[in-house]
Amino acid sequence: MSTMLEVKNIEVAYGKIVAVKDVSLTVNQGEIVTLVGSNGAGKSTTLRTISGLLKPRKGEITFKGERIDGKPGHSIVSAGICQSPEGRRIFPRMSVRENLELGAFLRNDKAGVAADMERVLDLFPRLRERIEQRAGTMSGGEQQMLAVSRALMGSPSLLLLDEPSMGLAPVLVEMIFDTIVKIRQQGTTILLIEQNAMAALEVADRAYVMESGEVKMSGKASDLKKDEAITKAYLGGH
């Protein structure tokens, strides 16, 4: 299995506060890898550094064999990494269609964009029903579907998902995770950040457990899910 993303010993700080310390992880082609841990563990900071929104103070990030740390966000999108951010960040006054078209703003393959539009509307039929509706008038769950779909419109080979289940009703959480599995089946590799650790471990191949800005352990998701000491210490198990 070929390594798609390699993060090596990165350190990221906000001023004098070090948010991520010596973090290393890999994502292989075709995998779902999850970063789990409590709020403030450094998960989102790690993701934002991979997507070029933050610059690491130390370490390096390699994607498909090329260094990407320090590159601007748009060139990282062009390389094939798209992020669905925490808190959705959709454009509320624009229609669903316009939001999706914005996701493809760096592309000039019209036929491919049209095919991907159909793909995301098949994944999330509710968006098809609301295609001309203003995004801000939709429910939280529908806005989350839109945020994931907008990232997919960039035709990423690696999709970064930041807290896709946050604030959603349990039935919608299940639907979002089912769709994440489908997206991988269609050929997109996924790095997932999630506070709902047990749900994430259900769908992931491998997992990294973060605490206080460091990776405390890693392994097969199925193994971590079964380890009582781990679930108690890091994943909110009882």
Side-chain angles (χ1 to χ4, degrees):
M1 203 182 278
S2 64
T3 302
M4 183 180 272
L5 177 77
E6 186 169 19
V7 175
K8 264 194 201 163
N9 310 109
I10 62 164
E11 182 177 293
V12 188
Y14 298 99
K16 288 183 178 171
I17 298 164
V18 178
V20 165
K21 310 165 202 157
D22 200 33
V23 163
S24 296
L25 61 93
T26 58
V27 181
N28 298 316
Q29 190 160 354
E31 282 189 312
I32 297 176
V33 173
T34 186
L35 283 186
V36 294
S38 59
N39 225 345
K43 307 184 304 292
S44 287
T45 299
T46 302
L47 216 62
R48 295 178 71 195
T49 308
I50 293 165
S51 62
L53 298 171
L54 296 170
K55 199 171 177 180
R57 259 196 341 201
K58 292 180 188 166
E60 56 186 64
I61 302 170
T62 309
F63 179 63
K64 294 181 176 174
E66 295 208 4
R67 284 279 296 270
I68 58 167
D69 48 282
K71 283 192 172 180
H74 64 85
S75 69
I76 289 172
V77 171
S78 294
I81 299 177
C82 295
Q83 180 170 352
S84 174
E86 183 184 357
R88 297 159 200 152
R89 310 267 174 87
I90 54 146
F91 296 95
R93 289 164 182 256
M94 291 184 171
S95 70
V96 169
R97 185 190 299 280
E98 288 165 334
N99 269 272
L100 292 173
E101 286 168 351
L102 267 176
F105 76 104
L106 285 176
R107 298 174 63 182
N108 50 22
D109 56 323
K110 274 192 177 170
V113 171
D116 279 338
M117 180 79 82
E118 279 305 302
R119 174 196 177 194
V120 300
L121 296 177
D122 285 344
L123 279 169
F124 296 109
R126 218 175 293 187
L127 295 183
R128 193 186 290 281
E129 292 165 21
R130 288 161 172 63
I131 191 78
E132 304 303 345
Q133 190 172 324
R134 268 193 187 191
T137 62
M138 298 198 302
S139 71
E142 289 160 351
Q143 290 183 24
Q144 184 61 64
M145 295 172 203
L146 179 56
V148 173
S149 298
R150 185 182 58 190
L152 284 171
M153 287 300 295
S155 192
S157 39
L158 176 63
L159 176 64
L160 307 180
L161 295 175
D162 195 347
E163 301 283 8
S165 80
M166 188 186 272
L168 299 186
V171 63
L172 279 175
V173 172
E174 200 173 312
M175 195 219 84
I176 288 283
F177 279 101
D178 286 348
T179 308
I180 288 168
V181 172
K182 274 188 207 156
I183 291 166
R184 187 264 289 274
Q185 285 166 351
Q186 293 177 355
T188 306
T189 303
I190 295 167
L191 178 57
L192 163 70
I193 284 188
E194 188 49 69
Q195 254 184 291
N196 185 341
M198 294 326 261
L201 292 173
E202 281 291 330
V203 300
D205 300 295
R206 291 186 303 109
Y208 292 85
V209 181
M210 287 190 78
E211 185 187 30
S212 307
E214 297 178 69
V215 172
K216 292 294 185 184
M217 57 188 55
S218 63
K220 279 186 178 175
S222 53
D223 293 343
L224 291 176
K225 198 174 66 189
K226 282 186 283 205
D227 190 316
E228 271 184 47
I230 291 170
T231 51
K232 276 187 184 161
Y234 300 109
L235 309 179
H238 304 293

